[in-house]
Amino acid sequence: EESDPAAAEAAGYGHYGVVTSVAARPAGGPSGRPGGKETTSSDPAVGAGDLLVTTGVDWTTKIWSPTYAYGADAAPSRPLVSYLGSSYDYVSDAAWHPARTSVFVTSTASGTLSLWNLAQGVDGPVSGADGVVVDGSSPPGAGAGRVRWSEDGRRLAVAQ
């Protein structure tokens, strides 16, 4: 297997088009959490190594682990999991929850959000395949361009 990203994409592992976002999972432990909260042992995503979420114009969301390699000499050249969206809108952004290491959100060009919780499963978003519509009165193409969690993770800001 190749460690070259271009070769990985050619082999079908990377995004087929522009990558719209790369989000790194926040570090665990007291120094990496708001309020110094410890990671709970009930979270199955803890200890799985560093994770990245990437999104792209190819309608996909991919989860990567740069510290995990397939095979003894292989580089981390393919995603752990790849999700194909149910709509024909590109996935515009992703953001990890600042306190819950298994939770992240993605947004699409059509203005929908998808909430993911890896502790509940890796089959798809917990918000459902269609996601949550941010503003049904927005004109077509005025989607959810960027998403950001508040420091405490209680609020989510969405921008076009």
Side-chain angles (χ1 to χ4, degrees), residues 3-159:
S3 62
D4 178 17
E9 184 174 358
Y13 301 134
H15 286 277
Y16 293 103
V18 175
V19 173
T20 55
S21 73
V22 177
R25 186 167 70 171
S31 63
R33 303 257 175 155
K37 294 180 183 174
E38 289 286 345
T39 302
T40 62
S41 60
S42 63
D43 187 344
V46 172
D50 298 327
L51 293 179
L52 298 173
V53 171
T54 60
T55 60
V57 297
D58 59 355
W59 315 319
T60 63
T61 298
K62 297 178 185 280
I63 299 176
W64 307 78
S65 177
T67 57
Y68 180 79
Y70 292 89
D73 298 326
S77 59
R78 60 175 130 166
L80 298 174
V81 183
S82 182
Y83 304 98
L84 180 62
S86 61
S87 70
Y88 292 108
D89 292 310
Y90 71 87
V91 186
S92 55
D93 200 15
W96 287 97
H97 192 279
R100 298 180 184 262
T101 58
S102 62
V103 175
F104 66 95
V105 66
T106 56
S107 60
T108 67
S110 66
T112 61
L113 298 178
S114 293
L115 183 66
W116 305 75
N117 187 344
L118 301 178
Q120 291 187 358
V122 294
D123 296 331
V126 295
S127 57
D130 294 332
V132 177
V133 177
V134 175
D135 182 3
S137 64
S138 293
R146 295 286 173 234
V147 290
R148 294 294 176 267
W149 292 97
S150 64
E151 267 190 52
D152 60 5
R154 292 182 179 188
R155 291 168 299 284
L156 183 67
V158 182

